[in-house]
Amino acid sequence: DSWGIFTFLCAALCNLPALPALNCSEELGAGQSIQQTYDLTRYLEHQLRTLAGTYLNYLGPPFNEPDFNPPRLARAERVPSATVDLDLWRGLTDNARLAANYRAYSRLLCYLRVLDGQVGTAELRHRLAHFCASLQGLVLSIGGVMSSLGYPLPAGPAAPPAPPGAPAAPNDFLKKMDDFWLLKELQTWLWRSAKDFNRLKKKVPPAVVTLRLEARGF
């Protein structure tokens, strides 16, 4: 009868597994990774302005004078240079620019860590250590962007600051000149990287919000 059918249906419904739950989650993709890397690059630019001023004052004149603009010495060629023609740089593929950034910051980080071990004041060592930690984060973040876009990381370890047995600076002035060029090149790399990631984030769509059916009770 109708009452029996109603009772059967109620019992069946009570014994059904739990209905799938509607779950809203955000896919963290390349767009968000690029945005985070861009933000970190701009933060490092700001951080370096303060650090460079403090370090150049530590080096003393003429390095802390605003109009000091010496020619690049052969000794400084070990530091990866960012002085590439902008049209040539923009003509590279995204993969090539990301790989160049990854290699450059890996090497610059090696130089900065050596610099950190040679500074004589505790406050400056602390600032350099903090900046090195932030720069290490940028290297990892660039690697994350490359992975999210399907690009392989550059093969091989970063080159050391100097080959084994390389002679040290013959005098204190040339040693300070090496430090000066390290900071100058780092400023140029960060300036250009910020522009790179700003362009890249406009090409890659933002993170997509998707709806998932999460089955429960099975």
Side-chain angles (χ1 to χ4, degrees):
D1 55 5
S2 58
W3 178 252
I5 294 174
F6 176 74
T7 304
F8 172 77
L9 289 175
C10 287
L13 287 171
C14 289
N15 287 283
L16 280 176
L19 289 175
L22 193 62
N23 181 37
C24 178
S25 63
E26 185 180 355
E27 293 289 343
L28 304 181
Q32 183 168 352
S33 181
I34 293 167
Q35 179 66 53
Q36 290 175 346
T37 307
Y38 169 76
D39 292 340
L40 180 55
T41 305
R42 295 307 304 270
Y43 169 72
L44 279 162
E45 275 192 292
H46 171 75
Q47 194 177 354
L48 182 60
R49 280 194 290 270
T50 303
L51 175 63
T54 304
Y55 194 84
L56 293 178
N57 285 333
Y58 168 76
L59 295 181
F63 301 97
N64 59 347
E65 296 172 359
D67 57 347
F68 183 62
N69 188 27
R72 187 178 175 113
L73 301 178
R75 288 185 49 80
E77 293 302 324
R78 295 195 303 268
V79 178
S81 176
T83 54
V84 178
D85 180 75
L86 285 179
D87 290 334
L88 178 62
W89 180 258
R90 290 172 184 171
L92 299 176
T93 63
D94 293 334
N95 186 11
R97 282 194 300 271
L98 285 167
N101 276 280
Y102 184 89
R103 285 191 297 265
Y105 289 121
S106 297
R107 290 188 61 193
L108 288 165
L109 182 60
C110 291
Y111 282 96
L112 282 170
R113 283 173 172 162
V114 172
L115 201 67
D116 184 25
Q118 298 172 346
V119 172
T121 68
E123 180 185 357
L124 193 49
R125 281 199 305 272
H126 175 75
R127 291 192 179 190
L128 278 167
H130 179 67
F131 186 84
C132 285
S134 299
L135 192 62
Q136 176 67 55
L138 180 61
V139 173
L140 295 174
S141 189
I142 294 173
V145 170
M146 296 186 72
S147 297
S148 67
L149 293 174
Y151 300 145
L153 293 181
N171 57 58
D172 186 60
F173 182 84
L174 290 180
K175 169 64 178 65
K176 290 180 178 181
M177 187 73 79
D178 290 345
D179 298 349
F180 174 86
W181 273 106
L182 172 60
L183 295 174
K184 189 167 184 176
E185 288 294 352
L186 186 53
Q187 285 177 323
T188 308
W189 272 105
L190 289 171
W191 171 81
R192 191 171 64 187
S193 295
K195 292 186 176 296
D196 287 345
F197 287 110
N198 189 44
R199 284 192 297 268
L200 189 59
K201 72 178 183 177
K202 294 176 182 177
K203 295 172 61 175
V204 178
V208 180
V209 176
T210 59
L211 296 178
R212 289 181 178 176
L213 287 177
E214 183 179 337
R216 295 176 182 170
F218 291 93

